[in-house]
Amino acid sequence: MRSAGLAFLVALLFAAAAAAQHDGAAATQVPDVPAGSGAIRGEVVNPDDPSRVGDVEMLLYALPASGTPGLRRARSDGAGRFAFENIANDPSTAYLVGARYAGIPYPGERLSFAAGETEKRVTVRVGDPSEDASGVAVVEARLEVTSAGGRIGISELHRFENRGTRTVFVAEPRRAGAKPFFRARLPKDAADFEIPLGIQPEGLVRDGDELRFYGPIYPSDWPGPLAKDQGLAFQYTLPATSG
């Protein structure tokens, strides 16, 4: 979807990679990241509970300029340190480092190696989630109308801001009766519903023509562009009528 920002799509890619690691069949089909002489080292920080940084699942997603995306998993040590070694340091390969903590994907920085560089350092921030959405607001709603093979194509993008201090998220077992953070209803006769890149967001539920979103929505004052470019994007088509 053209309307979605780069950081937003990168976050979706990471969420898909994290999900693949928890699906045994899918995980076996994801190749390792490209090999080389580079290394990415870093640490996990948790402002909500600084002691809970050990044994956190870490993921490295690689997107080469040409070739197949790769994925590697590691775990942080007792002090929150982690490393991905013997990886390609080709400047044309983009990496995204992140964590999966408390069942939630936490995308970190998007980075690449400079020419001749062999080591990068990164900090990945995680946090204990909250179901309190009082700090969440929809700050932009965008709609694009195009022609779609004899039908009308509709693209919607809704951007969120989380003014709170914690990631808001309702886990699947607790969604029955819970109020979603965002709700939308597809128009009558809507068809060809799609999500950018075909990636289902972690907390999106579709029930007939109703969409409900339960997060995660990260605090917008966290460092990095991913926290500042969050939203829900989807598209569908409608019948074209004469006139």
Side-chain angles (χ1 to χ4, degrees):
M1 182 179 292
R2 293 191 304 263
S3 1
L6 174 61
F8 174 63
L9 291 178
V10 168
L12 279 176
L13 284 169
F14 177 78
Q21 285 298 109
H22 287 265
D23 181 336
T28 59
Q29 298 171 9
V30 180
D32 191 13
V33 300
S37 58
I40 296 176
R41 308 180 192 279
E43 63 176 350
V44 180
V45 297
N46 182 352
D48 299 328
D49 187 348
S51 67
R52 296 181 62 188
V53 294
D55 198 33
V56 175
E57 181 182 23
M58 308 303 302
L59 294 118
L60 176 66
Y61 184 83
L63 187 62
S66 60
T68 304
L71 181 66
R72 184 179 294 181
R73 180 174 60 178
R75 303 199 79 89
S76 62
D77 67 13
R81 296 182 296 260
F82 64 88
F84 293 100
E85 300 179 317
N86 302 316
I87 64 174
N89 62 336
D90 184 344
S92 66
T93 298
Y95 290 100
L96 180 67
V97 183
R100 189 171 183 92
Y101 174 83
I104 302 172
Y106 282 89
E109 287 186 48
R110 180 179 183 271
L111 53 88
S112 58
F113 289 88
E117 190 176 24
T118 58
E119 182 170 316
K120 302 290 288 189
R121 300 201 68 87
V122 64
T123 298
V124 178
R125 185 168 179 167
V126 301
D128 296 326
S130 169
E131 295 181 7
D132 179 6
S134 58
V136 173
V138 179
V139 294
E140 180 185 9
R142 189 183 306 172
L143 186 146
E144 295 181 1
V145 181
T146 60
S147 175
R151 293 177 64 87
I152 299 172
I154 306 293
S155 298
E156 294 193 27
L157 173 64
H158 303 271
R159 292 189 183 277
F160 307 134
E161 185 175 276
N162 179 4
R163 304 182 181 105
T165 59
R166 291 195 172 186
T167 298
V168 294
F169 180 70
V170 177
E172 185 174 359
R174 295 180 54 82
R175 290 173 191 166
K179 182 179 179 180
F181 305 141
F182 174 82
R183 188 193 304 264
R185 188 171 295 277
L186 299 175
K188 181 182 178 181
D189 298 326
D192 307 312
F193 178 82
E194 292 183 1
I195 300 292
L197 307 176
I199 299 169
Q200 179 83 4
E202 192 89 11
L204 179 64
V205 176
R206 183 184 178 191
D207 184 7
D209 61 356
E210 184 179 64
L211 301 177
R212 299 190 298 272
F213 184 60
Y214 297 94
I217 307 175
Y218 311 100
S220 297
D221 66 353
W222 279 14
L226 295 175
K228 297 174 177 57
D229 189 10
Q230 302 182 76
L232 181 64
F234 52 90
Q235 62 191 34
Y236 51 89
T237 65
L238 295 172
T241 58
S242 59

